[in-house]
């Protein structure tokens, strides 16, 4: 697609429920990144993919968080047993690859998650 | 951890040039400097990037010092809509490739 697309744009869920957030990267981009931003805070790196492989999962805040990418395109970030502190905007980005520092990453508009 | 340091906030008068500094003293030879900005909690918007040479596009200019340890983003004629948080980023080599770590950024206030 023309840009990074994320869905849903807004999600309100009850504490304890599972949620799935979807990211569709720019066509042809093999690298995909997930970030989290709590209200008034900076961007927190979560995980990135090169193709379907996630070489660095160190940013995932707990084992309730997982992400997958299939077919080298769409990625899903899953949060199990959501807690109120998970409320944030989840941002996805993509780039041509992670092989060069010179590959620009482009962001989607984010998925706003509110856990009540 | 982010490899860059920026002032937490700056003011600029509308119509004047906004000069946003960034220090990246530990930058490696193959690491690019990127600038993004974020308005409220929208997705960060790419502005410009560079390796060694100064760069200019329709949004801004990027001046990188000869030793590459610092850079300056220049918005030539700031408008009220340029009020945002500006992030200076060095993409660092991580496990499996380059990743992008954001620091706290500079909150730019453009005033009428």
């Amino acid at each position: 697609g023309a840009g990074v697309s994320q869905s849903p744009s807004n999600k309100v869920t009850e504490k304890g429920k599972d949620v799935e957030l979807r990211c569709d990267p720019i066509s042809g981009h093999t690298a995909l990144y997930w970030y989290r931003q709590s209200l008034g805070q900076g961007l927190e790196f979560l995980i990135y993919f090169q193709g379907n492989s996630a070489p660095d999962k160190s940013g995932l805040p707990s084992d309730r968080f997982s992400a997958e990418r299939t077919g080298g395109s769409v990625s899903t970030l899953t949060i199990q047993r959501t807690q109120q502190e998970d409320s944030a905007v989840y941002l996805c980005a993509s780039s041509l690859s992670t092989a060069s520092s010179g590959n620009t990453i482009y962001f989607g508009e984010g998925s706003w998650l509110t856990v009540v | 951890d982010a490899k860059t340091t920026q002032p937490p906030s700056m003011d600029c008068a509308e119509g004047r040039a906004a000069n946003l500094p960034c220090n990246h003293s530990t930058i490696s030879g193959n690491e690019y400097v990127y600038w993004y900005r974020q308005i409220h909690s929208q997705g960060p918007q790419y502005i410009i990037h560079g390796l060694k040479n100064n760069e200019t596009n329709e949004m801004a200019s990027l001046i990188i010092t000869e030793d590459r340890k610092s850079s300056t983003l220049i918005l030539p004629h700031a408008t009220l809509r340029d009020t945002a948080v500006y992030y200076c980023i060095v993409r660092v080599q991580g496990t499996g490739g380059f990743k992008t770590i954001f620091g706290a950024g500079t909150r730019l206030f453009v005033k009428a």
Side-chain angles (χ1 to χ4, degrees), chain B residues 2-20:
Chain B
K3 291 184 71 169
T4 61
T5 56
Q6 300 176 252
S9 66
M10 292 182 64
D11 290 346
C12 179
E14 187 179 22
R16 305 296 293 269
N19 297 284
L20 292 89

Side-chain angles (χ1 to χ4, degrees), chain B residues 36-89:
Chain B
Y36 287 81
R37 73 179 182 185
Q38 189 178 32
I39 299 172
H40 300 300
S41 287
Q42 297 177 10
Q45 178 189 22
Y46 165 78
I47 301 173
I48 199 167
H49 73 285
L51 183 62
K52 297 179 183 178
N53 300 321
N54 299 335
E55 302 287 345
T56 296
N57 62 21
E58 64 277 6
M59 290 183 68
S61 295
L62 174 60
I63 309 298
I64 302 174
T65 58
E66 190 169 346
D67 63 8
R68 303 215 317 126
K69 292 186 177 182
S70 66
S71 60
T72 302
L73 178 74
I74 301 172
L75 306 178
H77 305 287
T79 71
L80 298 178
R81 287 181 293 180
D82 291 324
T83 293
V85 178
Y86 287 77
Y87 297 98
C88 169
I89 295 152

